[in-house]
Amino acid sequence: MPSELSPVLPDEIFKIIFEKSPGSLLVKADAPHFTIMAANEAYLNITNATREIIIGKGFFQVFPDDDDDPSDESGARKTFTKVVQTGLKIDIPTYRYDTRDPETGDYKIRYWSCSNVPFNGPDGKVAYILNTIAEITGEVNAKEAAIESENRLRLAAEATGFATFDWDFKDEVRLCSPQLAELFGHPADSRLSSVDVFQKQVLPEDQQVIADAYQEAKKSGIYAYDVRVVWPDNSIHWLSIKGKLVIDERQKPIRMLGTVIDVTEIKRDEIRKNDFIAMASHELKTPLTSIKSYIQILSKKLASDNDAFINNVLSKANNQVNKMTDLIHGFLDLSKLESGKLQLKPELFDINKLIEDCISELLQSTYSHIVIFNNPGNLNVTGDREKLGQVIGNFLSNAVKYSAKETKIIVKCTINDGYVVVSVTDEGVGIKLKDQKKVFYRFYRVDNEKIKNVSGFGIGLYLSTEIIQCHKGKVWVESTEGVGSTFYFSIPA
Ligand code: ADP
């Protein structure tokens, strides 16, 4: 039979526990004195006191309660009094009590957490209070530093016009800075900080953009999109949202946080610029077409004269006009793309024949390079023949532009994993790794001494990428600086 445990803790064990606990003090419940009966070593160390000085003295004689705020309930006197009155344990999770450095005499800011446990005497009334304290200065400072840095970040975001939001899916906590309401046309102090309310203001035709960005974010963790929102006064504003989607180990999205900024002015500028490019290109196209026809008429008229010089000059003029026409078509395509008007005309055609046609067209004006294409035979694909021809033409003309005369350009067309892969390899200047992604950006041109005199606007590869993406394919490059590059595109076979 196990011996029955005594409900009363033996004095010896109590003493050990008392001595080993973080910082313990036993006071008598003889309000208003609260005479100190015992203090452990840790308590003496914390308070820089000695037993001789404090034992037998009233608690407030030794540790004056400097709390003169009547509303503050955490002061020691109020706490002790309440413990005696209620007979219940009272915890004070955080309070400040500064201690004096015995060497320098300076006071040091310190934070504590304490618990006050009542012990009843034989009459059933509270006879003693065990006051246990633990220092939490480190934790409090860390928390304050975190709050301060968060505030600083928020202020910086506000100063630059950004609104911030943080949406915890698990706990359904949705935090937004007041600027978010303003970006949706509401007063900053309006309590509208719900993501759903804002989402309803997004134009119906832009709702899909949000859904697509979310799907993308589920893969990459990053989401970024621009949408139009309707303000309560019916004006339309562009907002740019950028953020992070936090995904847990089971691939479940758990939190979304980021920034929102009004980009209406930037968008308007962009629209104005696109309109200008479209208008200028359109205006240039007409006289250029006339010049081209005049050159053709002249060529025909003078062909019989057999004047080599004139024929040569006319052929060069024709080439230059062709180059200009290509550039202008590029700009027209760019503006069509930006305004969402670039449309595909899909048809079934032999892509290898298209490659041959593109090479023949190139060779009409380029005699400087050796272009190799071993046509593997008929390969039918569905796509916009003219647009895909534009992509192949862009790869070919780049291969010529960015490599030395007499070097080889190898064109291949293969089938890989259900995709038709077309590649154009040159032995040219190559592209540094850091530029390999950027060459596909709009207006990006590599800053390289060797090609600084090569003309171009940096839109060919951007357009090619967009055209291939419309075909559900992708574009990429493999390159070694000084050795050469291979540009690829793939489309579903
Ligand atoms: P453009 O040639 O008119 O500048 P592109 O969009 O076709 O515009 O190309 C973007 C940039 O990529 C070029 O300016 C060039 O720096 C680089 N580039 C493209 N093709 C090649 C290539 N085959 N070899 C080396 N660099 C290339």
Side-chain angles (χ1 to χ4, degrees):
M1 275 268 297
S3 64
E4 240 179 49
L5 283 171
S6 160
V8 181
L9 211 53
D11 279 359
E12 281 313 305
I13 296 185
F14 177 78
K15 268 190 197 151
I16 293 171
I17 295 173
F18 183 76
E19 199 44 55
K20 298 282 177 204
S21 58
S24 297
L25 185 84
L26 191 70
V27 294
K28 209 169 169 183
D30 56 348
H33 307 293
F34 296 103
T35 308
I36 299 172
M37 305 302 291
N40 75 356
E41 219 45 58
Y43 200 98
L44 297 172
N45 282 339
I46 289 167
T47 54
N48 294 320
T50 60
R51 281 204 177 85
E52 296 73 55
I53 297 174
I54 66 168
I55 305 294
K57 303 257 173 58
F59 181 90
F60 299 101
Q61 229 181 317
V62 189
F63 307 112
D65 198 355
D66 57 3
D67 163 35
D68 43 14
D69 174 4
S71 64
D72 182 5
E73 290 301 313
S74 66
R77 186 178 293 284
K78 280 184 196 135
T79 308
F80 288 170
T81 310
K82 230 176 182 176
V83 173
V84 174
Q85 279 168 358
T86 61
L88 299 172
K89 168 182 174 250
I90 295 182
D91 292 331
I92 307 292
T94 315
Y95 68 96
R96 180 175 159 183
Y97 190 88
D98 298 347
T99 56
R100 200 154 162 231
D101 186 319
E103 279 165 25
T104 62
D106 293 339
Y107 274 92
K108 203 175 146 215
I109 297 175
R110 293 174 94 171
Y111 292 93
W112 310 90
S113 163
C114 80
S115 111
N116 301 278
V117 183
F119 283 94
N120 291 351
D123 58 357
K125 288 190 183 149
V126 176
Y128 298 100
I129 300 170
L130 177 64
N131 170 243
T132 318
I133 60 172
E135 180 163 16
I136 53 163
T137 310
E139 287 87 333
V140 171
N141 286 344
K143 197 169 156 194
E144 277 180 0
I147 292 172
E148 200 188 316
S149 106
E150 201 178 305
N151 281 345
R152 222 180 293 144
L153 211 67
R154 195 173 42 81
L155 279 176
E158 283 169 14
T160 44
F162 279 98
T164 54
F165 66 92
D166 185 349
W167 181 7
D168 189 329
F169 301 165
K170 252 191 352 209
D171 303 330
E172 272 302 308
V173 180
R174 299 172 180 199
L175 301 172
C176 310
S177 66
Q179 284 67 31
L180 193 66
E182 286 187 313
L183 291 181
F184 282 79
H186 306 282
D189 53 4
S190 58
R191 298 223 141 262
L192 267 174
S193 7
S194 151
V195 179
D196 301 334
V197 174
F198 294 143
Q199 200 155 329
K200 283 198 186 107
Q201 284 182 239
V202 173
L203 280 187
E205 53 266 50
D206 285 4
Q207 296 282 356
Q208 191 56 38
V209 176
I210 304 180
D212 292 347
Y214 188 71
Q215 289 309 320
E216 179 56 41
K218 282 213 270 190
K219 286 185 240 150
S220 65
I222 296 200
Y223 68 90
Y225 59 87
D226 295 351
V227 281
R228 286 162 296 172
V229 297
V230 189
W231 278 22
D233 65 5
N234 281 330
S235 57
I236 291 180
H237 295 253
W238 275 98
L239 296 185
S240 178
I241 293 96
K242 287 200 170 63
K244 203 168 162 44
L245 185 69
V246 183
I247 296 164
D248 70 6
E249 54 295 337
R250 280 170 297 143
Q251 298 305 308
K252 199 169 160 242
I254 49 167
R255 192 175 166 197
M256 193 185 231
L257 63 167
T259 58
V260 183
I261 190 164
D262 190 315
V263 289
T264 310
E265 257 325 296
I266 298 172
K267 286 281 174 189
R268 280 193 193 135
D269 274 352
E270 224 167 82
I271 291 167
R272 274 194 289 267
K273 189 189 71 199
N274 284 341
D275 288 351
F276 172 76
I277 292 178
M279 199 184 62
S281 324
H282 194 77
E283 291 301 319
L284 286 170
K285 216 172 83 174
T286 321
L288 208 62
T289 314
S290 310
I291 295 174
K292 198 170 161 59
S293 334
Y294 294 141
I295 291 175
Q296 276 167 358
I297 295 168
L298 265 181
S299 303
K300 271 195 189 141
K301 266 211 139 214
L302 295 174
S304 49
D305 280 7
N306 258 343
D307 184 324
F309 175 75
I310 292 181
N311 281 323
N312 186 21
V313 168
L314 280 177
S315 150
K316 280 187 174 155
N318 194 40
N319 284 344
Q320 294 303 324
V321 169
N322 283 345
K323 261 192 195 169
M324 256 180 110
T325 314
D326 283 349
L327 284 175
I328 287 170
H329 280 151
F331 279 129
L332 281 171
D333 280 343
L334 181 74
S335 66
K336 270 192 213 152
L337 189 86
E338 312 266 278
S339 57
K341 287 183 198 144
L342 191 82
Q343 292 205 331
L344 298 185
K345 290 186 211 119
E347 59 181 304
L348 190 71
F349 66 92
D350 174 9
I351 191 153
N352 285 326
K353 172 78 176 57
L354 175 66
I355 295 172
E356 281 204 333
D357 290 351
C358 292
I359 294 173
S360 307
E361 202 181 311
L362 175 85
L363 294 180
Q364 275 178 22
S365 53
T366 310
Y367 318 101
S368 52
H369 289 70
I370 306 145
V371 185
I372 302 166
F373 175 54
N374 292 321
N375 188 340
N378 193 319
L379 178 56
N380 281 342
V381 294
T382 305
D384 187 318
R385 191 178 193 278
E386 195 193 316
K387 295 269 176 300
L388 290 174
Q390 220 174 299
V391 176
I392 299 167
N394 175 236
F395 281 11
L396 286 171
S397 65
N398 278 350
V400 170
K401 279 195 322 192
Y402 302 108
S403 64
K405 283 181 182 169
E406 316 296 333
T407 56
K408 275 190 252 157
I409 295 172
I410 301 167
V411 187
K412 283 186 185 155
C413 178
T414 53
I415 291 199
N416 194 0
D417 253 353
Y419 280 83
V420 173
V421 183
V422 176
S423 65
V424 176
T425 305
D426 64 50
E427 301 171 340
V429 291
I431 303 166
K432 281 194 183 115
L433 193 64
K434 73 174 178 63
D435 288 315
Q436 288 181 9
K437 239 186 178 162
K438 297 184 189 159
V439 291
F440 299 101
Y441 296 171
R442 193 174 59 155
F443 304 132
Y444 191 84
R445 307 201 71 222
V446 175
D447 188 12
N448 179 341
E449 201 47 37
K450 283 193 206 143
I451 55 172
K452 72 173 196 296
N453 293 324
V454 179
S455 65
F457 291 106
I459 55 172
L461 288 177
Y462 170 71
L463 277 174
S464 298
T465 310
E466 295 291 324
I467 291 170
I468 295 300
Q469 277 174 359
C470 287
H471 282 85
K472 304 209 176 341
K474 61 177 193 152
V475 178
W476 70 102
V477 63
E478 284 166 9
S479 183
T480 308
E481 206 193 1
V483 178
S485 315
T486 302
F487 277 85
Y488 298 87
F489 75 78
S490 67
I491 52 166

